[in-house]
Amino acid sequence: MSPAHAAELEIDSAMTLNQVKVGCDAQIRLLSGPGCDRLRDLGFCEQLQVRKIAGGRNLICSICGTRMAISRELAEQVLVSPLA
Amino acid sequence: MTHASDTTSTIALIGNPNAGKTTLFNALTGANQRVGNYAGVTVAVKSGETFTPHGRKLRVLDLPGCYSLRANSPDEKVALDALSGLLPGEPKPDLVVCVVDASNLERHLQLTLQVIELGLPCVLALNMVDVAEGMGLRLDPTKLAEELGIPVVPMQANAKRGIVELKQALRFPLPVASEATWANPAEDPETARRDFVTQLCELAARRPNAHQQTLSDKIDSILLHPIYGWLSLISVFFSLFWAIFSFAQIPMGWIEAGQSALGSWVESLMAAGDLRSLIIDGMIGGVGGVVTFLPQIALLFFFIGLLESSGYMARAAYLMDGVMAKAGLSGKSFLPLFSSYACAIPGVMATRTINSAKERLVTIFIAPWMSCSARLPVYFLIVPLLLHENEGTWKQALVLFAVYALGTATAFIVARVLRGRLGEDITPGHFLLELPPYRKPQWSYIFRHVFERALSFIRKAGTLILGLSILLWALSTYPKSQSGDPADALAHSAMGRIGAIIEPVVRPLGFDGRMGTAILTSFAAREVFVSSMAVLYRVESAGGSEEVRTVLRDQLAISKWPDGRRIFTPLSLVSLLVFFIYAMQCLPTTAVVARESGSWKWAIGQFLFMTSFAYTASLMIFQVGKLIGY
């Protein structure tokens, strides 16, 4: 299996930030979508850990010690893998 | 070494929102800029002066907070232009001080790297080291300086710690531009920057264990709770309005007492005549009626300052996002619209934090419909008259609440319609807001800010309103008639004649010529209406403004049309109230809207729309009411 293929598989198994349970930690795998530049400016970068604090219309998550409120549409563009 | 000492070097402060740029700016320049714990407090470039330890003068620019130099929103564009020297009248800065929040280096350093890539000499101000250390972060400024190749100054700007060290770093010769060592042509600049920042943070800012439950988290678990959060939001804003209206009564009483003492003092000094009439009726009466509202305005700005500075404003915006979405707006419109209850001018200026250009235009458009404090004198005059009661009962509070609700509801409906017509943005901007940690309010800045707003209000009262009061007095006094009857004298005066001309226009709304004239004078500033009415209905009283209102109210209650019908029926009063809720009667707001929206067309369109809306609404209420039989 080629490394590129492995990466793809990993992304397939990843979930979006919307699907993470409230109170859980996750590691950001990939940003994809029109809002990703904006998300990166705010600190949503690959490899970083994020904790979802609240869900709903907009979700709140904690990243690098800062709480950010982002819309569901933006959270949809953040692919993460949950951490135990 | 020699350098041209007549050229002052320019230093720009840049950083993410909430990094403490304005606090640092104030500490460096001794200025009293407003500081908020909310993104977008600085919406324009402010400049000031400071001195190096060797006494060399430096110009300091405070740029609006931005997350990147990609110019996503108007304030980021301003920051980028300032750094590239494209801002009219501002030279390209000789040095950039990147202000970063030490507890948040992963995010804040991105911007610093972008500035270094621009080829500008840079100094890193590592602000809020106390917060970072409190979180257990182990910072290594020396390592950071080595890796970045620029001076790094750890500091705590709100406690004035590290200011001297920063000034040492700013002394001559200024540091040279560092090289962007991370940039490599084979890699995407974004990725390169990100990898470098991650690597830097591992070296120089190690986190013990991410995600500790901080005090802010605990407070947020209540204040952002789906049920308790709303209860807290409602109680916070309800007590805010209650406090404004009840606390303000005390100083308002003092102002009125002082004013009435001044009036009788002047009366005892001077002989009866035109000059005495000018001073007492025209000047003291006219200006006094408006100055009484100073305590309420000061209190409102105090509470807004408190909410911003403590960090609650961002939570309110988060909670309100769902409500604002019903009007086609987002939570980001909440602060501008809420500020507009105090005054539409700061409200319109605060729209710069809204990323979506269309949402911003819509917010600007409806902001003047949030009943501002200048309308209060008019409401206070009309509402008791409507209910045949003295001031200050719960029924009046209810009517006042309905007045605010009507303005707000109409604004939201118009926003929704307008937002639909403008269409979607080309690049969809999504709701995105940083929730800063709760901080202790910075009292000194809040008080200075309140003081500035109060001063500018007094300045307006002393110039625009004084001038209009004198003009009105003159118009209603000259040309003089031979008759001794004051009513004849008024009909003969210039004002009486203007009133007669515009009466046909305002008659269908249930107003007489004098009210028409008073409305006409209030187009420069609404609060002038009360003093105009006092002059036009010949209220001869040197008392305080509450007394003026009481006498004026009695006078209005007995005013009759020539055929003997009462002018001020409940219906015509409601029509007048509605006119004031909707009419756009504030020259300074129109000027600010023109500047912020970048087009006079928009500002004039808004003025025409709101005025005709007000006229139509009043017309319909009066005519329909008459048909039904009120």
Side-chain angles (χ1 to χ4, degrees), chain B residues 7-27:
Chain B
T7 52
T8 321
S9 301
T10 306
I11 288 172
L13 301 182
I14 194 167
N16 286 26
N18 274 310
K21 291 173 300 301
T22 305
T23 312
L24 179 58
F25 178 80
N26 288 336

Side-chain angles (χ1 to χ4, degrees), chain B residues 265-283:
Chain B
W265 180 66
V266 172
E267 198 169 13
S268 69
L269 281 185
M270 295 174 69
D274 278 5
L275 187 60
R276 192 176 88 174
S277 162
L278 166 69
I279 292 176
I280 295 174
D281 301 335
M283 289 159 69

Side-chain angles (χ1 to χ4, degrees), chain A residues 25 37-38 40-43 45-46 49 51 57-58 60 62 64 66-71 73-74, chain B residues 67-68 70 72 76 104 106-107 194 207 211 217 224 318 321-322 325 355 430-435:
Chain A
D25 288 341
D37 280 348
R38 196 80 194 138
R40 287 212 175 91
D41 294 338
L42 290 159
C45 298
E46 281 87 345
Q49 265 192 41
R51 169 177 288 183
R57 202 191 126 72
N58 292 310
I60 302 179
S62 162
C64 318
T66 312
R67 269 157 303 279
M68 301 291 313
I70 61 170
S71 63
E73 290 85 353
L74 278 175
Chain B
Y67 290 109
S68 80
R70 265 195 304 276
N72 284 305
E76 289 188 358
N104 245 311
E106 289 90 339
R107 294 184 327 111
R194 225 163 41 233
R207 277 176 197 280
H211 310 308
D217 286 328
L224 295 177
Y318 168 78
D321 185 58
N355 305 80
H430 291 297
F431 184 72
L432 227 169
L433 190 68
E434 184 175 339
L435 301 175

Side-chain angles (χ1 to χ4, degrees), chain B residues 417-432:
Chain B
V417 173
L418 201 63
R419 191 74 178 85
R421 289 189 71 103
L422 282 176
E424 279 301 308
D425 282 288
I426 306 150
T427 50
H430 291 297
F431 184 72
L432 227 169

Side-chain angles (χ1 to χ4, degrees), chain B residues 220-235 312 319:
Chain B
D220 271 343
S221 66
I222 298 168
L223 291 185
L224 295 177
H225 189 272
I227 298 159
Y228 304 134
W230 279 103
L231 290 179
S232 338
L233 182 85
I234 292 165
S235 40
Y312 187 68
L319 283 173

